[in-house]
Structures are given as structure tokens and as C-alpha cells.
Amino acid sequence: MKKTLISLSLLCFGNFANAQTETALNIQAPTDQIVSKHIYGHFSEHLGRCIYDGFWVDENSAIPNKGRIRLDVVDALKKIKVPNLRWPGGCFADEYHWRDGIGPRNERPKMVNTNWGGVVEDNSFGTHEFLELCKMLDCEPYIAGNVGSGTVEEMAKWVEYLNFDGTSPMTAIRKQNGMDKPWKVSFWGVGNESWGCGGNMTPEYYSDLYRRYATYARDYEGAPLKRIASGANSEDYKWTETCMKNIGAGRMWGLTLHYYTLPTGNWKTKGSATKFDEEQYFNTMKNCLRMEEIVTKHAAIMDKYDPKKKVALVVDEWGIWTDVEPGTNPGFLYQQNSLRDALIAGTTLNIFNNHSDRVRMANLAQTVNVLQALILTEKDKMLLTPTYHVFDLYKVHMDAKYLPIKFTSPDYTVGNNKIAALNVSASQDSTGAIHISLVNLDPKNKISINTSLGDLKWKTVTGQILTSANVTDINTFDNSNKIHNAKFSGAKKSGNNLKVELPAQSVVVLELK
């Protein structure tokens, strides 16, 4: 009996959304600041079932595919207008040697993926396959080069293979492998997590190494590189300071930042993806909101050395990281995806939008079957997670003008602790339409919002909402549409003000025309 009561408390703490709090928003006129589409980027590593059994199917698979690239996954990602895709890692990038993944597949050497499960990597998915995937997705490739176990020559020749349209040994090999013209890849990561799995380096050592590697990663005609330095882990502000000081703003397009939301805050026991009570939910959201402070502090350090904000802060790994699903390979990082994860996605993207003067690229970890995935697959079955639906809602912000917002959030309180219940971002697209994304983290209380839009002109408001009865709710292969976007009718015009009744535990995107 006791176990049954605990189970009910885990599942139903968000069902009683009767109370209401109030706040006012003041949306400012647009500035020249743009919410870059690249904030909505994604990440696909050779990890678990992301590439193999995710994007890439068996040679004789009956699942609809083009050259082994799974078409239902491609179609779903095209719908949300994926702007860029990061590959081959992650930690895998710094043990990946690109020449093992080109040429006839039956002649490619096999290797052991020492970072993720110790499984055999057959290298059937390599450079040509990845760039064909990007072509099918109509997105820009973002390649992470091997600094940890690779050489300057290896990286330089990879760039040449990708981008040089002339006569050279690398272009001859590329043409032999079926690609006459170069792909002209711009986004180029110089290492990954060089403070950890990418080499356990000091920031001083990495800064010097970056300058060397970046020197030989050449700009070829029509293909200037956007070189991205391997930046800090979470709150390692010294790393950012050292890189900005020693590398210099003129030698890099971007500097990375990695931060994951851990429900418990503990890497050893991170917490369940689906079974959690309100206190655990609250702590997860508190950890998610730390992204605001972390981005703000790293950006302030970058401002010291780069006051014109030429260097992008590239948050190329973010998302919730939980314990793996019971019974799955712990090295494959397969986790379910609940309404809680959708609220994390909406909140984090609002933070990035509001810092789009510095955050100009980000990559959710990861796209298929790994960590906070957009898509889960099981043989021929595929489902879209609640997180996918948030990206579908938020695509309206891509490359739109940023609209600053002033407001005071109501509190979401559990015991003696409290966090901001509400987070918001807004933009205006090229047609003049205004989009406002709102997230209510409070699982029990709705929020009544009165919004002033100043001199911004509009006549109508429509909206969509993502919510469910419980924050623990998930989409499953037997019920793949339990959580999905729906029409929202809780917003109306009152004079030139906008009034919104924002339900508990919800993500809402409004369009004003």
C-alpha cells in the first residue's frame, strides 16, 4: 500500500492547477540584434544508437531510406528546419581519424569506441555519409576536429579534403571517392572538451595548441572557416578568461561552453528520466535555470577582451542528463523524454534568445536516441519527443529581430525554496509578425499575464501550447502522440495590451500580426 501511494505522488503532483498568480510584461521595440537560427542547432555523436540504428540503418533494412539514411528521421528534422548538425562528437571526435571513414565501406578499418560502451565502430558512416545527411536536411555541417589524439597534419588535410577546389593529393582522393566539387564546410571545431575527454589539458596549453592547429586549418577560396575553440565546462570561468586572453578575438569565430542539467546535481546518480516527485522536479528546474547565470558570467569575461562581441559563445552541448533507462547499455546514454524535458528545452532556448548578442550558436545533445533526444526509434517505429515539439514551436524565432522584455516573474515555491516560475523571449520576423514564447515551470499554478507592447502594432493573436496532465508524462511507441502541440486560446487583445492565461507546466508560443 505504501509503494502505491508513493507511485501516485510521483505521477500526479502536477494535476491540481487551480491557483493563479499575476504579472506584467513590457516588450520593447526591436533592436539590430538578431536571434541566430544557429541557436537551434543539434548534435549527433557516434554514441549508442544516435548514428547507428538512428540516422543510419542496416544495408538490407526494410525501413525506408536513401543510401542507408533513414527517411522518416530526415523528414521530421526538416520540418523543424534544423540549421546545423555537429559531428562526429563529443568525446568520440578526439579519437576519430577521418581517413578511416572514407573510401569503399568494405575496406574501411574497424575501431573500438572507447568512450561509449566499448563497441566496435565499423566506420560505415563517415565524412561523405555525414555531408550527404546534411544535404538531405538542408543544414550546415559543424565538424569537430581531432586535437586530442590527432595531428595538425591530419586536421589540415581534412579541411583540404572538404574545401579545396584545386589540384592536390587530398582533392584527388576526394574525387576518387565520388565527390568532384568540395563541400565548403564553414563551421570547424578545433577539439572538444579539451579540459576533459579531449586531452585533460590546462587552458594555457590548449590555447597554444589551438593557435597551432587553427593556423594550418586553412581558408580556401570560397570556403572561409568559422573556427570554434574548445571552451569551458560549466562554471570554469578561468578557462574562458585564458582562451580569450591567449587566443585573441581575431583568431576564432566562436568559443564553446558545455552545461548539462542534472536532476540531482550529482554525476554518479543523476536521477530518473520518468520517476520523480515534486522536490526532484523543482531541483531539476533550479539546475536548468543556472544556465542564465553561467552564460551571463562567461559573456562578461568575453566582453573584457572582445567588447564588439565578434566572438560567438557557442553552447554546443546542453540538455538534461539523467540515468539511462533500466535495462539499457549504460554507455549508450538512452533516456526517455518527458514534459519536464520540454520545459527545460523551452526555458533554455529562451535564455539563449535573450543572450543572442553573444550566444549565436548552440547544439542540443543529442538528436536521436541519446540524452535529451528529439527522436526515439525502435526498429521501424519512430516517435517525436516533447522536446521535438518545443523546437517546432520555437522555429519562428530563427533569424528574427530580438525584442527585449522587462518583467518580474512570480515565484514557484517548494518548501522554503523558490525559483522564477515564468521565463519569456520574443522576436519580430521579416514580415513584422511578433512571436512570444512563454514557459510556466510551476506545475500547480497558472499565471495571468498582462503585456504592454508599446508602439508595436498588431491586430490579431493566435497561439500553440505544449502541456500534459503530469510533468512525468512521456510519448511511447504505443502512444506516440500523448504530448503534442495544440491550439492555444488563452490569449486575447485588450486595447493595445495582450492578456494571457498561461496554464501550469506549459510552453506557449504566440503570434501577433
Side-chain angles (χ1 to χ4, degrees):
M1 184 67 178
K2 185 176 180 181
K3 287 184 179 179
T4 302
L5 289 173
I6 291 173
S7 176
L8 287 171
S9 72
L10 287 171
L11 293 174
C12 299
F13 67 82
N15 275 343
F16 307 103
N18 298 317
Q20 179 171 318
T21 56
E22 297 183 0
T23 192
L25 307 181
N26 184 1
I27 298 182
Q28 313 290 302
T31 66
D32 292 334
Q33 185 173 319
I34 300 296
V35 178
S36 172
K37 67 179 180 180
H38 289 296
I39 285 172
Y40 293 86
H42 295 281
F43 174 34
S44 291
E45 184 170 6
H46 288 242
L47 195 174
R49 297 193 301 115
C50 185
I51 300 294
Y52 302 99
D53 202 31
F55 282 112
W56 192 241
V57 299
D58 290 341
E59 197 166 10
N60 298 314
S61 175
I63 298 169
N65 68 88
K66 180 183 177 183
R68 295 181 62 179
I69 295 174
R70 184 168 175 156
L71 291 177
D72 55 356
V73 171
V74 168
D75 289 343
L77 295 176
K78 285 177 69 176
K79 183 176 183 290
I80 60 171
K81 300 180 180 179
V82 171
N84 68 74
L85 190 63
R86 182 173 179 247
W87 173 86
C91 293
F92 183 79
D94 282 292
E95 66 175 352
Y96 181 67
H97 301 283
W98 69 273
R99 295 184 76 163
D100 292 344
I102 61 172
R105 291 188 193 128
N106 61 355
E107 297 178 9
R108 298 180 189 179
K110 294 179 172 61
M111 61 176 285
V112 179
N113 189 335
T114 60
N115 282 288
W116 305 119
V119 296
V120 174
E121 162 68 56
D122 71 0
N123 281 309
S124 61
F125 188 94
T127 296
H128 288 252
E129 291 78 16
F130 170 66
L131 293 169
E132 179 61 23
L133 170 62
C134 290
K135 180 181 177 182
M136 292 170 66
L137 292 173
D138 193 25
C139 77
E140 288 199 50
Y142 169 17
I143 288 181
N146 183 346
V147 171
S149 69
T151 65
V152 171
E153 180 187 21
E154 181 180 15
M155 184 181 290
K157 286 185 174 178
W158 201 5
V159 176
E160 180 184 330
Y161 187 88
L162 294 170
N163 289 353
F164 184 45
D165 189 14
T167 301
S168 77
M170 291 302 102
T171 59
I173 296 170
R174 185 188 71 225
K175 291 176 181 180
Q176 181 182 328
N177 290 330
M179 190 67 182
D180 185 57
K181 291 293 183 180
W183 292 277
K184 298 185 177 180
V185 174
S186 292
F187 291 116
W188 193 267
V190 183
N192 166 78
E193 293 191 357
S194 299
W195 40 264
C197 65
N200 288 303
M201 304 175 195
T202 64
E204 292 81 6
Y205 179 76
Y206 172 73
S207 297
D208 287 343
L209 208 57
Y210 170 90
R211 289 164 67 124
R212 182 175 171 225
Y213 274 71
T215 296
Y216 292 96
R218 304 290 192 188
D219 289 336
Y220 292 100
E221 185 177 353
L225 291 186
K226 294 175 180 174
R227 298 168 184 81
I228 299 172
S230 177
N233 178 31
S234 185
E235 297 168 303
D236 186 352
Y237 302 113
K238 179 187 174 184
W239 190 282
T240 296
E241 180 100 34
T242 304
C243 286
M244 291 301 299
K245 181 179 179 181
N246 292 358
I247 294 173
R251 292 188 178 92
M252 55 183 165
W253 180 86
L255 179 65
T256 71
L257 169 66
H258 290 181
Y259 176 69
Y260 286 96
T261 295
L262 305 180
T264 64
N266 185 327
W267 280 101
K268 290 185 177 179
T269 306
K270 294 177 280 292
S272 171
T274 57
K275 297 179 181 179
F276 48 88
D277 59 21
E278 186 172 9
E279 183 178 355
Q280 292 166 330
Y281 168 80
F282 177 90
N283 288 335
T284 304
M285 292 308 171
K286 182 179 179 181
N287 291 337
C288 167
L289 288 168
R290 286 180 59 209
M291 182 70 87
E292 171 69 34
E293 176 186 352
I294 290 169
V295 166
T296 299
K297 288 185 175 180
H298 283 290
I301 294 168
M302 295 173 77
D303 287 347
K304 284 172 54 180
Y305 299 94
D306 177 31
K308 294 184 179 179
K309 301 182 186 291
K310 292 182 179 179
V311 180
L313 182 58
V314 179
V315 191
D316 61 3
E317 290 189 30
W318 67 271
I320 184 171
W321 193 324
T322 71
D323 295 333
V324 301
E325 288 301 294
T328 65
N329 188 324
F332 282 10
L333 306 187
Y334 178 81
Q335 63 191 48
Q336 249 293 357
N337 196 287
S338 69
L339 178 64
R340 175 183 68 174
D341 303 340
L343 296 169
I344 287 171
T347 297
T348 304
L349 291 170
N350 280 342
I351 292 169
F352 294 162
N353 289 349
N354 290 327
H355 286 274
S356 52
D357 60 332
R358 183 62 82 175
V359 179
R360 296 197 289 278
M361 190 174 191
N363 301 81
L364 176 70
Q366 294 185 11
T367 317
V368 189
N369 291 330
V370 172
L371 297 176
Q372 190 172 348
L374 299 175
I375 294 170
L376 302 180
T377 66
E378 184 180 88
K379 297 181 180 178
D380 62 333
K381 296 179 182 179
M382 184 197 80
L383 67 79
L384 307 177
T385 68
T387 295
Y388 172 93
H389 294 299
V390 172
F391 276 83
D392 193 21
L393 289 176
Y394 275 53
K395 66 188 178 188
V396 293
H397 291 303
M398 290 183 180
D399 285 344
K401 288 186 176 181
Y402 170 67
L403 297 176
I405 304 176
K406 294 182 179 180
F407 73 100
T408 300
S409 171
D411 291 331
Y412 164 39
T413 303
V414 173
N416 296 322
N417 299 306
K418 61 184 179 181
I419 59 173
L422 177 68
N423 61 83
V424 186
S425 69
S427 66
Q428 186 173 36
D429 70 18
S430 59
T431 71
I434 297 163
H435 295 101
I436 306 170
S437 49
L438 307 113
V439 179
N440 183 1
L441 298 180
D442 192 325
K444 293 177 290 190
N445 301 314
K446 62 183 179 180
I447 302 174
S448 179
I449 302 171
N450 186 20
T451 304
S452 168
L453 285 97
D455 295 330
L456 293 167
K457 303 300 181 185
W458 60 286
K459 294 180 180 179
T460 62
V461 56
T462 57
Q464 288 187 285
I465 184 170
L466 183 72
T467 190
S468 194
N470 307 293
V471 291
T472 53
D473 285 348
I474 61 174
N475 289 337
T476 68
F477 292 106
D478 293 326
N479 188 4
S480 62
N481 206 35
K482 181 180 180 68
I483 304 176
H484 62 276
N485 295 333
K487 183 179 179 181
F488 177 68
S489 56
K492 65 180 180 179
K493 197 172 192 291
S494 177
N496 197 43
N497 277 17
L498 171 69
K499 291 193 173 182
V500 183
E501 297 297 320
L502 185 64
Q505 58 194 41
S506 68
V507 181
V508 168
V509 173
L510 303 176
E511 180 174 80
L512 283 62
K513 289 185 174 180

